[in-house]
Amino acid sequence: MSAVLDHHDHDHAHHDDHHAPTGWRRWVFATNHKDIGTLYLLFSFSMLMIGGVLALLIRAELFQPGLQLVNPELFNQLTTMHGLIMVFGAIMPAFVGFANWMIPLQIGASDMAFARMNNFSFWLMIPAALMIVGSFFMPGGAPAAGWTLYAPLTLQMGPSMDAGIFALHILGASSIMGSINIIVTILNMRAPGMTLMKMPMFAWTWLITAYLLIAVMPVLAGAITMTLTDRHFGTSFFNPAGGGDPVMYQHIFWFFGHPEVYIMILPAFGIISHVVPTFARKKLFGYASMVYATSSIAILSFIVWAHHMFTSGMPVTGQLFFMYATMLIAVPTAVKIFNWIATMWQGSMTFETPMLFAVGFIFVFTMGGFTGLILAMAPIDIQIHDTYYVVAHFHYVLVAGSLYAMFAGYYYWSPKWTGVMYNETRGKIHFWWSLIAFNVTFFPMHFLGLAGMPRRYADYPMQFADFNALATVGGFAFGFAQVYFFLFVVLPTMRGQGAKAAQSPWESAEGLEWEVPSPAPFHTFETPPKLDATATKVIG
């Protein structure tokens, strides 16, 4: 028996399809890519705040010589947990949030390929985050082996180490599921006419990042599982007393850890590759070279891991190989910087907040890249290994790199998410406040490192006092800038306060995401859009 709907019933049924669920069920059972993207972004911002509080406790302790607030043991717990929470709880989930929100919109897909798996991969993060943060309250306190979890320290930690290992396994499973989802969505669900080489740069960088994640998350899982069996099941992978080798842990960890660095920066490159052309009012210079450069970075990232280990007794041949390989990876990275600058060259530029963050990103990320080149030189690295110079370098890359790109992406796309424009003045205050405070915090650390101040020490001699005091003041200023951002930029737009956003608030923005209304409807592109020759506009 076939049921026949009259015209009115058919309209009604179709309207019900479009009706977004309400209340807590909408979020707990979310399968819509936009809702899951929002959940990821809110989760990662919460973790950014928790990790930030730990960072401020570290800086408060280092404000002056002597032990002020915490004992050295707790200090090491703070540094370890700050690193783990920021890397696995803040930066990575935020980029997955951007991917969930933007990739289906950018490629003309109706949703992500595996909607229920998408929900599962988000909700896995909640127990993992609770376990990581809750480890402070376990017997013996949180893990204190550094975020790299080096043996033999990890073999001597209390029960919180096991909780940390379990949490990282869960987060790794979440990352792998998210990556499979992104790859299948991009390869199978692009609108007809959108070839790979017409795809937006953000989708390209995430496609490559997703392959990296699938390749390296199991490596981390292997390293921490071996740590677990060393701790509880009598194996001796990393325990020298049983014939194991702690340096083997470093090799396995950094084989994961170096591609991981690019996992945290490639999506940022994608965001910047959208913002710069929009506000320079020009096409992205050298699109194909950007795609090849991104792929080259991903491939090269697998052969440079031991530059983290120059002081571990490596033969000179090994040092030379990893030194040259690391210097080589600077080439495709520089290609991207040159392409952004060439895009801006003779462009008709305006400096709205997304562009400010993009230009700030290019400036500060380039500085971080140059300090990375210096650390790539084995003879120099041996002198400044594990000093504050390294801390300064990776914060220039990760904070001013990943985080600034996320801010650029937020200001650029939030009118499409919320339907209202953010407050431009407040956005600019957030940018300048963040830029100045960041540099006041981390630039002095280069000098501290060159002068020989080791990292992860709770106390230090008098000659390092002035730069540390300066860094602490900058650190608190930077932290408060992010609170300002949430209270005075994000919250008002979430509440719908502000000028209504046009369908395309940036006149020269290109891409399918600007072809849907603002805010983006709950369901978009239910029938694949027909694209023009550039694959950036919908015909008809």
Side-chain angles (χ1 to χ4, degrees), residues 247-481:
V247 176
M248 181 169 78
Y249 176 86
Q250 296 189 28
H251 278 290
I252 301 168
F253 178 86
W254 286 117
F255 190 79
F256 147 81
H258 205 79
E260 165 69 18
V261 172
Y262 294 102
I263 286 163
M264 292 189 283
I265 200 67
L266 290 182
F269 291 164
I271 292 171
I272 301 301
S273 301
H274 285 274
V275 175
V276 169
T278 297
F279 294 97
R281 288 160 183 77
K282 280 174 64 187
K283 282 248 185 262
L284 179 67
F285 179 89
Y287 170 90
S289 65
M290 285 293 246
V291 172
Y292 297 135
T294 310
S295 312
S296 310
I297 290 171
I299 293 160
L300 288 171
S301 72
F302 285 100
I303 60 162
V304 297
W305 78 90
H307 67 209
H308 297 269
M309 300 170 54
F310 283 146
T311 58
S312 63
M314 193 185 301
V316 174
T317 324
Q319 289 184 354
L320 280 172
F321 171 81
F322 286 107
M323 182 165 90
Y324 290 137
T326 307
M327 288 157 72
L328 185 64
I329 211 165
V331 176
T333 314
V335 167
K336 301 176 104 51
I337 307 265
F338 285 128
N339 283 15
W340 292 321
I341 293 170
T343 306
M344 291 191 270
W345 178 254
Q346 293 191 326
S348 161
M349 286 206 290
T350 52
F351 291 97
E352 287 88 342
T353 311
M355 187 59 163
L356 283 177
F357 270 106
V359 174
F361 165 92
I362 293 168
F363 168 65
V364 193
F365 176 78
T366 304
M367 286 172 60
F370 278 129
T371 55
L373 262 179
I374 290 166
L375 287 165
M377 314 283 176
I380 303 176
D381 182 79
I382 286 165
Q383 298 301 314
I384 51 180
H385 181 82
D386 258 342
T387 68
Y388 267 77
Y389 192 91
V390 180
V391 177
H393 156 69
F394 70 70
H395 282 87
Y396 265 81
V397 175
L398 276 183
V399 181
S402 303
L403 194 64
Y404 277 22
M406 286 177 204
F407 288 142
Y410 174 81
Y411 285 107
Y412 183 61
W413 283 313
S414 72
K416 182 59 61 191
W417 301 345
T418 61
V420 296
M421 291 301 290
Y422 62 87
N423 184 305
E424 191 64 61
T425 309
R426 291 176 181 176
K428 286 180 172 163
I429 290 170
H430 175 223
F431 168 72
W432 288 110
W433 186 354
S434 294
L435 185 76
I436 293 164
F438 170 80
N439 282 290
V440 168
T441 308
F442 292 104
F443 200 75
M445 291 186 189
H446 293 105
F447 303 121
L448 285 170
L450 290 170
M453 180 171 168
R455 62 179 174 165
R456 297 184 187 152
Y457 276 43
D459 194 7
Y460 54 86
M462 198 64 211
Q463 67 259 35
F464 300 137
D466 292 347
F467 278 145
N468 267 304
L470 189 62
T472 294
V473 171
F476 274 86
F478 186 76
F480 288 128

Side-chain angles (χ1 to χ4, degrees), residues 84-275:
L84 287 173
I85 287 169
M86 288 304 201
V87 169
F88 296 103
I91 301 281
M92 289 169 71
F95 279 135
V96 179
F98 275 100
N100 264 296
W101 244 108
M102 297 316 303
I103 286 175
L105 287 179
Q106 289 191 329
I107 64 172
S110 57
D111 207 307
M112 297 293 278
F114 305 116
R116 290 187 189 280
M117 187 166 86
N118 208 7
N119 175 290
F120 187 45
S121 64
F122 170 75
W123 285 109
L124 274 178
M125 306 196 75
I126 304 299
L130 290 173
M131 248 189 298
I132 282 188
V133 177
S135 65
F136 277 106
F137 307 102
M138 294 180 183
W147 83 272
T148 52
L149 305 176
Y150 272 8
L153 278 173
T154 44
L155 310 181
Q156 301 156 9
M157 294 281 138
S160 63
M161 192 69 231
D162 303 321
I165 288 171
F166 190 33
L168 285 179
H169 271 301
I170 296 172
L171 291 169
S174 167
S175 290
I176 289 170
M177 283 193 280
S179 300
I180 291 169
N181 216 340
I182 287 166
I183 290 171
V184 175
T185 303
I186 290 175
L187 295 185
N188 286 356
M189 297 177 68
R190 298 191 308 284
M194 182 179 281
T195 60
L196 281 176
M197 291 309 280
K198 286 182 181 169
M199 202 163 66
M201 264 322 291
F202 182 65
W204 253 118
T205 53
W206 243 116
L207 178 64
I208 292 164
T209 303
Y211 277 113
L212 278 180
L213 272 164
I214 289 173
V216 301
M217 289 315 285
V219 179
L220 175 68
I224 57 180
T225 303
M226 290 153 90
T227 305
L228 194 71
T229 59
D230 273 13
R231 285 169 56 81
H232 296 292
F233 301 109
T235 58
S236 294
F237 292 112
F238 311 130
N239 186 355
D245 183 4
V247 176
M248 181 169 78
Y249 176 86
Q250 296 189 28
H251 278 290
I252 301 168
F253 178 86
W254 286 117
F255 190 79
F256 147 81
H258 205 79
E260 165 69 18
V261 172
Y262 294 102
I263 286 163
M264 292 189 283
I265 200 67
L266 290 182
F269 291 164
I271 292 171
I272 301 301
S273 301
H274 285 274
V275 175

